[in-house]
Amino acid sequence: MLSFRRALVAAAFFITVLFFTTRSSTPAAPPSAVAYPKADSDTESKQGSDTTGTLVDAEHAGGHRNRPSQPQGQQQTIQDASKMTLYDRLAYQFPYDVETKFPAYIWQTWRWTPAHAEFQFREQEATWTEQHPGFIHEVITDQVAGHLIRLLYASLPEVVEAYAALPLAVLKADFFRYLILLARGGIYSDIDTYAIRSALDWIPEAVPRSAVGLVIGIEADPDRPDWKDWYSRRVQFCQWTIQAKPGHPVLRDVVARITEETLRRKQAGSLRSIVDKNVIEFTGPALWTDVIFEYFNDPRYFDMGQSAGPIDWRNFTGMENRRRVGDVVVLPITSFSPGVQQMGAKDTDDPMAFVKHDFEGTWKPESERHIGD
Ligand SMILES: *[C@@H]1O[C@H](CO)[C@@H](O)[C@H](O)[C@H]1NC(C)=O
């Protein structure tokens, strides 16, 4: 009898411990040893750290839905994959759930790993580790990236084919960031980027993480009449740093478009003729910007019925606070482009300065970077 009672007490104790250890959200907890990393919303509850501005909603009056609206009678229980579009098959393979946590991954790519003698971004790379204790931080070489894409996209062979077919390293590097975030989520950042503040501070405390699935920054907001001589879009979103939950519809769309366009060009034999200046439209920030604006006005995700008009660059120009559209948080130019001394960007010591991009390790056309240098 006694041993039964003891067993009962032990069981109760065990359950209590389990209850508290699985529920507690103490930031001081050591990095968990579990295979799946702790997501940031566990550790983001530190009090009073957010003194850095507010968030403005820029929303169509009808609001946002996380699942696309489906016409009646189109629900299918058994999906015939052969009849589905690539976009739909990507959604099937990498479903999006806005309520999951932001995975605690940091993905970077470079020719060499930090262990290699030629690796020249130690200082930058270290800032990501320092700012994000408990995160899994991977610097992936080109060769490993190829293996990883084959593994993650094994059931979508045209994606693997498109990745392999891209003729320039810069195209592959662009494509890889969308692919890894779609499949796994977390943060992607170019290797030549310093983390100034933890990603836990990128969204204000008051905003529930369960309502946000994508965090992006502004690369360029050239408020000048000749902006077209320098930039491809009036407001351009940057893709050197992105935070996303897996399966986000914007990533799904950008992956589907790059895949289809690559295979179309492969078929037409025009893939090799892509030169540096085309990259921005093909895989780079121009395409990224277009896809995001289309998402903001996509009637599958936003009720456009009562909308005052499309959301376009006008809704983001000159902004100093974060802005939220549906499940996307757009950071002001200072956040990912501090210290560029133009377009209203403040310096790297501004509380809204989150990452600093050096433009060394990645290719970007000169004109996309330094007006007036
Ligand atoms: C976007 O900006 C336009 C002005 O250019 C404004 O009329 C519209 O209401 C804004 N939309 C939202 C959702 O804030």
Side-chain angles (χ1 to χ4, degrees), residues 31-39 103-105 107 134-138 184:
S32 56
V34 292
Y36 204 75
K38 235 160 101 150
Y105 289 121
W107 305 104
F135 277 54
I136 290 176
H137 181 184
E138 297 282 355
R184 286 292 174 267

Side-chain angles (χ1 to χ4, degrees), residues 100-151:
T100 58
K101 295 167 176 173
F102 276 106
Y105 289 121
I106 295 161
W107 305 104
Q108 301 195 285
T109 53
W110 191 236
R111 235 168 279 157
W112 302 292
T113 70
H116 195 283
E118 308 254 15
F119 185 80
Q120 69 272 47
F121 298 107
R122 266 243 170 267
E123 205 185 309
Q124 291 92 327
E125 188 253 351
T127 61
W128 286 94
T129 313
E130 284 156 16
Q131 293 284 353
H132 302 89
F135 277 54
I136 290 176
H137 181 184
E138 297 282 355
V139 179
I140 292 170
T141 61
D142 299 347
Q143 199 193 6
V144 172
H147 293 309
L148 195 55
I149 295 312
R150 276 198 296 280
L151 202 69

Side-chain angles (χ1 to χ4, degrees), residues 57-213:
D57 278 310
E59 190 77 274
H60 299 291
H64 174 254
R65 42 178 106 83
N66 289 306
R67 286 202 182 70
S69 59
Q70 272 210 332
Q72 285 292 308
Q74 279 214 350
Q75 241 98 16
Q76 295 165 324
T77 43
I78 298 167
Q79 311 250 12
D80 181 358
S82 66
K83 294 207 183 80
M84 289 163 74
T85 61
L86 176 58
Y87 180 91
D88 287 339
R89 280 180 293 127
L90 286 164
Y92 187 74
Q93 192 65 31
F94 303 112
Y96 174 58
D97 179 3
V98 71
E99 290 181 8
T100 58
K101 295 167 176 173
F102 276 106
Y105 289 121
I106 295 161
W107 305 104
Q108 301 195 285
T109 53
W110 191 236
R111 235 168 279 157
W112 302 292
T113 70
H116 195 283
E118 308 254 15
F119 185 80
Q120 69 272 47
F121 298 107
R122 266 243 170 267
E123 205 185 309
Q124 291 92 327
E125 188 253 351
T127 61
W128 286 94
T129 313
E130 284 156 16
Q131 293 284 353
H132 302 89
F135 277 54
I136 290 176
H137 181 184
E138 297 282 355
V139 179
I140 292 170
T141 61
D142 299 347
Q143 199 193 6
V144 172
H147 293 309
L148 195 55
I149 295 312
R150 276 198 296 280
L151 202 69
L152 293 171
Y153 287 85
S155 61
L156 297 150
E158 65 268 65
V159 176
V160 177
E161 185 189 344
Y163 182 81
L166 288 173
L168 300 173
V170 58
L171 296 170
K172 278 189 159 68
D174 274 347
F175 198 21
F176 180 82
R177 72 197 62 194
Y178 310 131
L179 290 167
I180 194 70
L181 291 177
L182 177 63
R184 286 292 174 267
I187 295 163
Y188 168 84
S189 195
D190 279 356
I191 195 71
D192 53 350
T193 306
Y194 292 86
I196 300 174
R197 290 189 63 146
S198 166
L200 306 184
D201 298 334
W202 293 0
I203 311 176
E205 291 277 309
V207 176
R209 267 55 176 173
S210 60
V212 179

Side-chain angles (χ1 to χ4, degrees), residues 245-315:
K245 291 178 181 174
H248 194 278
V250 164
L251 296 165
R252 190 190 303 155
D253 193 18
V254 79
V255 165
R257 287 202 212 187
I258 294 172
T259 301
E260 283 159 359
E261 180 62 11
T262 303
L263 297 183
R264 192 190 64 74
R265 285 187 192 229
K266 188 184 172 187
Q267 200 84 30
S270 65
L271 208 45
R272 300 266 146 204
S273 64
I274 295 176
V275 290
D276 279 358
K277 72 177 178 44
N278 311 134
V279 171
I280 185 162
E281 299 283 339
F282 187 31
T283 57
L287 172 74
W288 178 237
T289 299
D290 291 350
V291 167
I292 289 164
F293 277 121
E294 281 179 40
Y295 177 71
F296 288 161
N297 298 291
D298 187 335
R300 290 175 297 178
Y301 296 100
F302 293 90
D303 182 350
M304 303 294 288
Q306 308 157 58
S307 178
I311 290 180
D312 59 18
W313 65 270
R314 291 174 192 85
N315 301 89

Side-chain angles (χ1 to χ4, degrees), residues 204-225:
E205 291 277 309
V207 176
R209 267 55 176 173
S210 60
V212 179
L214 183 67
V215 183
I216 54 172
I218 290 179
E219 170 169 10
D221 180 10
D223 185 12
R224 44 193 282 170

